[in-house]
Amino acid sequence: MSSLLSLLKTQHQLLAALPLRLRLSYIAAWLLLTLTLLVIAVCLGIKRHHEWFQASALHLKQTMEERLKASESMIFNLGEGARARGDFGRTAISRYASYMQAHYPFVYMMGYQPIIKTGQRSRYEATQSLHYGKTVTIRDFNNPANPTPGHPDYWRQWPYWSKAATREMYLPLTMAEPYDNYMARYMIGLDLLNSPLLGPTVRQAIHSGKIEVSPPFTLSNGHMGLAYIQAVYAAKSKETPTPAQQEVTGIVLLTITADQLLRHEQLQNTTHLNIRLHRIGSRDESDDINSSQNPVDNDKLSNRLLPQFHTRLRIHHAYFPYELEVSETLRLDNLNATIFLLLPAISALLCYLLLLVAATQRRKQHLHDEMSRDLSKEREQAIVTLQAINDAVIVIDQHQTIKYMNPRAAALTHKTLNEVRDHPLSHALQLHYELETEAMLDPVEQCLQLQQDINLPQHCHLIGSNNQHQYIEGTLSPLTGKHGEKLGVVLAIRDMAPLRARLAASILHREERLKQHANEYAKAARITNMGEMASGMAHEINQPLSAIASYNEAALTLLEDEEPDLALLQRALQGSVQQAQRAGHIIRGLRNLATRQRTALSSVDINQVIRNTLLLASGELASKHIRLSTHLEPALPHVLADSIQLEQVLFNLIRNAIEAMPATQGHLSIRSHVLNTRICVQVQDNGPGIPAEELPNIFTPFFSLKHQGIGLGLTISQSLIESFDGNIYASNHPDGGALFCFELPVIPHAEPQRKAAHEQDYTYDLPG
């Protein structure tokens, strides 16, 4: 928190230092960027909503086609039933209608309407009156007007009902199923053949023999509806190419509610869609069917400013003379309001970052100016310092012309700066070399060519005015420009006579102290080596001792039982004996290592060593819920090594991997394979890996990445592998985690072993 507050304080100081003009330009840039981002967001929102509109319209069309197909199937089933049974039973139709209405809410009413001839009228009216329990007569409805939806009393206007006149035949409304459709029963007895609304469609269906769809009309419940009509003929009419009118036995009628047909509860956010069915080829809007889900208010200012979407989709049913028309006016809530709130903040952040960059650049320029002033001051101070130091300093250019000389150099050369300025170096200073046997290279030329510091030889001296040798030492340093160009050389010289005397006395005293320190260091080294050996032995012996303790605890637990399992007790004691022998073997190996004696080696199957080590580590793997996978190459040649010491190396690697992996999601992988003439064993984990800067030190004694490690496990493992003429190395796997691998040479002409059943590659989770 304190660092964040410090950062904010620093940024505030940077911005406060900017002039008002830049801060005002930031506000202008923020407004312009915000407006641009808002325009882009609106365009993207309109495009996204238009895609949704097109997909919704297509979904509406597909749903409507499915419902129309279902309606066609209903008409077909009613027609087939009427043809097969003649007088299609009311009970069957009522059950069928109730079932269909439950599954298809758009179904309003259906039924079989028979043809009644003049001589059958009285009997028909008496039969229907008896069935419905009221007087039923064949009637006409003479009101030609078809009001808009919302007038359920349209069919109850009794002045417009009249008894049908005598005609050759009638087609009265006989069935209005399902039975609970009480509203439709007001129209029982209506002569459909003579109806201004349905009569033309009925006659067309009788003439064509196909399914015909009526124009929209008001149902008895006040909603708009459509009627599916198909004529039913006598059986012999199928053989007549053009059936005559007297061969018609009746029609099947299916009335659907248009609102329900256009309603789509499964499609979300369609309440603002204006959905309607447009009758193809008709310009009369009364032939169109509008959905009740279109509360579009075109008077709103947003509806006049925002774009409108409109599409027409043809319904792929030959008998259905309508096409689906979907329109919508984009509303503000169709756009993502969160974006409009975030865009000003995002643009403000961008402009703030730009302003912060400008403030930072301005700050850098200010600092550069201050540094230039400080550099001028430092140059002046450097000149004063050069004049005050006790060393002689001479500055020459690349042509060995003197440009500067401090007072100490003037005293050393007995020349003033004005006398030697712009003169060659030899005019003021000539170097001589004691016991010179061959020509010496010019140190000034060497420094200019090599562009590195050159020390004067130890036997370099000057010859004074009284012909005395004045021994000196000095350094020549190249003087370069800003871009690395050669400018000259700086020569620093000091008189060595007083220094030589002090050095002689200091060297004698230092030699005495070094002898004393060497004796103390040798004593401390012996004590340290003893401590290292003790720590190493404790670290290596701790593993078999822990196993011995576990086996003995298990044996004591078995002995406490009334009837102990002697087989398990024997296995526990055998395991304890084996671990004790293993501890003794480790002690002998450490003793041999300390006395540099080579352990007796034998032919070893590396896969058997891996299986033995995994058996020892199985308990720790299971307790940590570590998933183990092995890939052991079958028929591996043998290697010349010590099996116990190899188990010790492999156990160290496995234990290090266990400690590095996550608590419950560890994955340990062990692989063995032949690589040229060597056997390679890899141990890989999914831990954090080894830091790259620490990889070179991983096998260094007493180096450990663990909080409580002593850093000897990998060192001893390296010593053991190298004692078998092998190599061990560590790296980080590209997929994550550490990868340790050791290689051992194959015994020449070793016979490969047959692969056992349990040497198959496997991967499993050890139980907790």
Side-chain angles (χ1 to χ4, degrees):
M1 182 60 71
S2 60
S3 60
L4 178 60
L5 293 176
S6 177
L7 178 61
L8 293 176
K9 183 178 179 181
T10 303
Q11 294 179 1
H12 176 71
Q13 294 174 352
L14 288 174
L15 297 178
L18 289 176
L20 180 61
R21 176 178 55 83
L22 285 178
R23 282 181 277 181
L24 292 177
S25 64
Y26 155 73
I27 297 176
W30 170 68
L31 292 175
L32 181 60
L33 181 60
T34 301
L35 181 60
T36 303
L37 292 178
L38 287 175
V39 171
I40 294 175
V42 169
C43 293
L44 292 177
I46 292 174
K47 180 181 178 182
R48 182 172 59 254
H49 191 75
H50 183 259
E51 293 174 352
W52 172 87
F53 171 79
Q54 294 291 346
S56 299
L58 182 59
H59 183 75
L60 291 171
K61 170 183 172 294
Q62 293 173 349
T63 305
M64 181 170 292
E65 288 178 346
E66 293 175 358
R67 292 176 176 177
L68 294 176
K69 188 174 181 181
S71 301
E72 181 182 353
S73 177
M74 295 179 205
I75 285 290
F76 176 79
N77 291 336
L78 289 173
E80 288 297 317
R83 293 188 188 94
R85 299 180 59 180
D87 184 10
F88 202 23
R90 291 179 180 272
T91 303
I93 292 179
S94 180
R95 291 178 179 175
Y96 182 72
S98 299
Y99 177 81
M100 288 299 157
Q101 191 179 62
H103 288 78
Y104 300 97
F106 62 88
V107 174
Y108 180 68
M109 180 269 290
M110 67 175 66
Y112 170 66
Q113 320 303 333
I115 291 289
I116 304 299
K117 297 183 179 181
T118 302
Q120 300 172 340
R121 177 173 178 173
S122 299
R123 182 181 178 183
Y124 168 79
E125 292 176 345
T127 303
Q128 296 302 315
S129 298
L130 182 62
H131 175 75
Y132 286 107
K134 65 176 182 178
T135 302
V136 176
T137 60
I138 299 177
R139 301 175 292 168
D140 292 332
F141 189 76
N142 300 316
N143 185 5
N146 188 20
T148 57
H151 295 275
D153 294 335
Y154 171 71
W155 295 101
R156 297 187 183 183
Q157 299 177 16
W158 303 114
Y160 299 103
W161 287 91
S162 61
K163 185 176 180 179
T166 302
R167 303 186 185 98
E168 183 180 354
M169 65 174 59
Y170 308 92
L171 186 59
L173 180 62
T174 304
M175 292 185 186
E177 300 298 337
Y179 184 78
D180 57 355
N181 196 341
Y182 181 74
M183 298 294 294
R185 295 187 183 276
Y186 279 103
M187 302 183 343
I188 294 297
L190 174 64
D191 188 2
L192 301 176
L193 192 60
N194 196 47
S195 172
L197 295 177
L198 300 178
T201 308
V202 171
R203 289 189 290 272
Q204 186 177 358
I206 293 173
H207 178 73
S208 64
K210 300 179 181 178
I211 298 175
E212 299 293 341
V213 180
S214 71
F217 64 95
T218 303
L219 298 173
S220 58
N221 60 1
H223 291 272
M224 296 297 292
L226 294 173
Y228 280 74
I229 301 173
Q230 186 179 29
V232 179
Y233 301 93
K236 64 178 182 179
S237 64
K238 293 184 178 181
E239 301 175 358
T240 306
T242 306
Q245 189 175 9
Q246 63 271 17
E247 295 174 338
V248 177
T249 61
I251 65 169
V252 287
L253 174 66
L254 171 65
T255 305
I256 62 176
T257 304
D259 292 343
Q260 293 291 339
L261 183 66
L262 298 177
R263 188 178 298 274
H264 299 272
E265 293 80 0
Q266 297 178 353
L267 191 62
Q268 299 179 354
N269 300 326
T270 60
T271 56
H272 293 277
L273 293 179
N274 185 11
I275 308 170
R276 69 174 183 171
L277 292 174
H278 175 70
R279 193 172 183 88
I280 300 174
S282 174
R283 297 183 179 180
D284 189 357
E285 294 185 357
S286 62
D287 291 339
D288 296 343
I289 304 175
N290 294 321
S291 172
S292 60
Q293 302 184 75
N294 54 353
V296 179
D297 189 359
N298 293 325
D299 294 334
K300 289 186 178 180
L301 179 61
S302 59
N303 291 341
R304 293 198 295 269
L305 294 179
L306 294 175
Q308 295 183 350
F309 305 136
H310 181 269
T311 184
R312 282 189 177 182
L313 301 174
R314 184 67 180 267
I315 305 299
H316 297 292
H317 284 270
Y319 60 85
F320 193 74
Y322 292 91
E323 60 183 359
L324 181 65
E325 183 178 300
V326 185
S327 61
E328 182 192 22
T329 300
L330 186 68
R331 296 172 293 106
L332 291 178
D333 56 357
N334 293 134
L335 304 176
N336 192 348
T338 306
I339 295 298
F340 294 100
L341 296 177
L342 290 178
L343 287 180
I346 294 173
S347 60
L349 178 60
L350 292 176
C351 293
Y352 175 78
L353 293 177
L354 292 176
L355 190 64
L356 194 61
V357 170
T360 305
Q361 293 297 329
R362 185 181 179 86
R363 177 70 173 174
K364 287 183 178 179
Q365 183 63 36
H366 179 69
L367 293 176
H368 181 268
D369 295 340
E370 290 184 351
M371 290 176 62
S372 298
R373 291 192 295 269
D374 294 341
L375 185 61
S376 300
K377 293 180 180 179
E378 290 178 358
R379 172 180 281 178
E380 296 176 358
Q381 294 175 357
I383 294 176
V384 173
T385 303
L386 287 174
Q387 293 177 352
I389 63 176
N390 197 35
D391 288 348
V393 177
I394 301 175
V395 180
I396 60 177
D397 62 9
Q398 57 182 343
H399 303 294
Q400 298 193 20
T401 301
I402 298 176
K403 294 299 180 181
Y404 174 78
M405 186 169 62
N406 69 344
R408 181 61 182 169
L412 186 65
T413 60
H414 306 287
K415 303 284 185 179
T416 63
L417 178 59
N418 293 331
E419 292 177 351
V420 298
R421 179 178 290 168
D422 297 329
H423 285 77
L425 178 62
S426 59
H427 183 74
L429 185 69
Q430 291 185 358
L431 301 177
H432 299 273
Y433 306 100
E434 190 175 35
L435 299 177
E436 180 180 349
T437 59
E438 58 183 13
M440 298 293 294
L441 297 177
D442 186 1
V444 178
E445 288 293 338
Q446 284 184 290
C447 183
L448 287 173
Q449 292 178 4
L450 301 178
Q451 286 296 295
Q452 63 183 18
D453 293 346
I454 300 295
N455 294 323
L456 293 176
Q458 294 182 357
H459 57 285
C460 183
H461 63 275
L462 299 176
I463 299 178
S465 57
N466 54 0
N467 207 21
Q468 291 183 352
H469 289 197
Q470 188 175 1
Y471 290 97
I472 61 171
E473 73 172 6
T475 303
L476 291 87
S477 300
L479 186 62
T480 57
K482 182 178 180 181
H483 302 289
E485 64 273 14
K486 299 178 182 179
L487 297 181
V489 174
V490 177
L491 176 60
I493 303 172
R494 66 184 61 89
D495 187 5
M496 293 299 298
L499 182 61
R500 283 191 172 188
R502 291 194 302 270
L503 285 177
S506 176
I507 290 173
L508 181 61
H509 180 67
R510 182 178 180 83
E511 287 180 352
E512 294 177 356
R513 293 185 60 188
L514 285 176
K515 289 180 181 179
Q516 181 181 359
H517 185 73
N519 294 332
E520 294 177 355
Y521 179 79
K523 182 179 179 181
R526 288 193 297 271
I527 296 175
T528 302
N529 291 335
M530 293 175 64
E532 293 178 1
M533 181 61 69
S535 298
M537 293 178 65
H539 176 76
E540 296 300 325
I541 296 175
N542 183 57
Q543 297 172 4
L545 289 181
S546 298
I548 291 172
S550 299
Y551 282 126
N552 288 337
E553 289 177 358
L556 290 175
T557 302
L558 291 173
L559 290 174
E560 291 176 357
D561 294 341
E562 294 181 358
E563 295 181 1
D565 190 338
L566 296 181
L568 289 177
L569 181 62
Q570 182 180 6
R571 288 176 57 186
L573 294 176
Q574 287 177 352
S576 179
V577 171
Q578 290 176 359
Q579 292 302 318
Q581 293 173 352
R582 185 169 180 264
H585 192 92
I586 292 174
I587 292 174
R588 288 193 299 275
L590 291 173
R591 183 177 59 192
N592 294 339
L593 182 64
T595 58
R596 299 189 180 275
Q597 296 181 4
R598 188 176 180 87
T599 306
L601 306 181
S602 61
S603 178
V604 175
D605 181 2
I606 200 68
N607 285 343
Q608 185 62 41
V609 170
I610 294 174
R611 292 193 295 271
N612 294 344
T613 308
L614 290 178
L615 180 62
L616 295 175
S618 61
E620 193 166 357
L621 290 172
S623 64
K624 296 295 183 62
H625 302 282
I626 292 177
R627 187 163 59 94
L628 173 66
S629 56
T630 62
H631 308 277
L632 307 182
E633 182 176 326
L636 285 179
H638 287 185
V639 297
L640 191 62
D642 185 273
S643 62
I644 298 298
Q645 292 181 351
L646 282 182
E647 292 178 13
Q648 180 182 356
V649 171
L650 192 58
F651 191 86
N652 281 338
L653 298 182
I654 293 175
R655 194 164 196 178
N656 289 342
I658 293 174
E659 294 176 353
M661 286 187 290
T664 59
Q665 297 180 353
H667 180 200
L668 179 66
S669 175
I670 299 179
R671 180 186 300 271
S672 67
H673 62 278
V674 178
L675 184 64
N676 296 329
T677 59
R678 303 173 78 85
I679 302 297
C680 181
V681 178
Q682 296 178 346
V683 178
Q684 179 187 348
D685 59 61
N686 65 337
I690 305 171
E693 65 273 9
E694 304 296 352
L695 273 174
N697 305 321
I698 198 68
F699 294 103
T700 304
F702 300 101
F703 175 82
S704 176
L705 296 176
K706 296 179 288 186
H707 296 295
Q708 299 179 351
I710 63 175
L712 286 175
L714 291 178
T715 304
I716 295 175
S717 299
Q718 184 184 40
S719 300
L720 293 176
I721 293 298
E722 290 179 351
S723 68
F724 305 145
D725 297 331
N727 296 320
I728 184 172
Y729 48 88
S731 63
N732 288 317
H733 197 271
D735 296 335
L739 176 65
F740 282 86
C741 179
F742 63 83
E743 299 176 356
L744 296 173
V746 175
I747 299 177
H749 308 294
E751 290 295 333
Q753 299 297 311
R754 295 184 62 184
K755 181 175 182 180
H758 55 270
E759 290 184 12
Q760 302 291 337
D761 297 342
Y762 62 91
T763 300
Y764 62 93
D765 295 328
L766 293 170

